[in-house]
Structures are given as structure tokens and as C-alpha cells.
Amino acid sequence: MQMAIDQAEAAAQQGEVPVGAVLVGPKGEVLAKTRNQMRTLQDPTAHAEILAIREACAKLGNERLLECDLYVTLEPCPMCAGAIAHARLRRLYYGASDRKGGAVDNGVALFAQSSCHHAPEVIGGLRENACAELLTEFFALRRNEPS
């Protein structure tokens, strides 16, 4: 999770919402280390999780990431949760809960829906305080900036 936190910090330094992700392969090898890049890439789908899934799929030459695990600093949104299900990830570890935009343990709780084709094992709250603090600090600074 520390690698994902490092990616989130790098995102914040670039003015992106500080979310980082690390995707680990079946043998524990790091397949992708990514961060939010929506502003940088001018792409609303450039969430850390989506970028990590794309990179890992390209490395493995497969759209399925069976036996792979994703570490992300914030509970995934509906788009990312859907991508996680479609990629057939084995496990999802996330740091801070997202009561407004999360879709794993909050909101639509996508993996609990009968229409969800694949639900990974979910472990939430990993380094939760450190992950939440990054987001709190980032948005506090934005609120204090002159318009």
C-alpha cells in the first residue's frame, strides 16, 4: 500500500486528486504503479485503477487479471469497480472509504449486486488514516485558494 500512497502523493503534486494504485501479479510482481491523471491526460476515465488495469493487461497480454491483486488508496467509484469486476481481479485492497463516490462498500455496492459477474475479495481500511489524510489535505488546500 505504501507504493500506492507514493503514487497518490505524486498525483497531488501534479494537481490531480491524490489517488494511487498498484496492481500485483500472481507471483507478487508489480505489474503497474499508477495515479489519477484525469487533468493531465484530459480524460475522465484516467482514474488510477483504470490506468493500472490497462497497464497490467498490456503486460500480461490478456484482458483477464486472474490471480492479481489491486491496491488503491481510495474506495473505487462505480466505473472502477465495474472495471475491476470485468478484469476478474482476485483481491481488492483499498485505504480510505468514500461515502459519497465509493461503489464497493458504499453507494451501489457493486460487488454485492446479483448482476455483478465477478466479485473480488475486498479488504478495506488498509492504511486508512494515511490515505484519508492525503485527500483531506489536498481538498483543504483547494478550498483556501483564491477563486
Side-chain angles (χ1 to χ4, degrees), residues 50-105:
I50 299 293
L51 297 173
I53 289 169
R54 288 177 183 161
E55 188 175 323
C57 286
K59 279 187 181 170
L60 295 177
N62 195 328
E63 78 280 9
R64 301 283 188 244
L65 298 174
L66 304 172
E67 303 303 314
C68 294
D69 301 331
L70 179 66
Y71 293 80
V72 63
T73 58
L74 181 65
E75 177 182 356
C77 72
M79 174 182 69
C80 294
I84 289 164
H86 284 285
R88 307 292 195 266
L89 285 165
R90 174 178 55 186
R91 257 182 233 108
L92 165 67
Y93 297 91
Y94 73 84
S97 291
D98 186 351
R99 295 191 196 330
K100 285 174 116 177
V104 175
D105 290 322

Side-chain angles (χ1 to χ4, degrees), residues 12 15-19 36 38-39 74 98 100 131-145:
E16 299 276 3
V17 174
V19 177
N36 275 0
M38 292 155 321
R39 288 184 173 189
L74 181 65
D98 186 351
K100 285 174 116 177
C131 294
E133 189 175 303
L134 281 170
L135 291 156
T136 301
E137 288 174 6
F138 178 82
F139 287 113
L141 288 170
R142 296 304 174 274
R143 279 191 294 276
N144 294 328
E145 288 179 351

Side-chain angles (χ1 to χ4, degrees), residues 6-65:
D6 293 344
Q7 289 294 310
E9 289 170 345
Q13 291 171 359
Q14 293 180 330
E16 299 276 3
V17 174
V19 177
V22 174
L23 208 146
V24 178
K27 296 176 183 162
E29 70 279 21
V30 174
L31 297 173
K33 290 190 291 187
T34 59
R35 59 185 168 271
N36 275 0
Q37 293 189 62
M38 292 155 321
R39 288 184 173 189
T40 302
L41 299 176
Q42 297 180 343
D43 178 356
T45 69
H47 289 201
E49 301 95 310
I50 299 293
L51 297 173
I53 289 169
R54 288 177 183 161
E55 188 175 323
C57 286
K59 279 187 181 170
L60 295 177
N62 195 328
E63 78 280 9
R64 301 283 188 244
L65 298 174

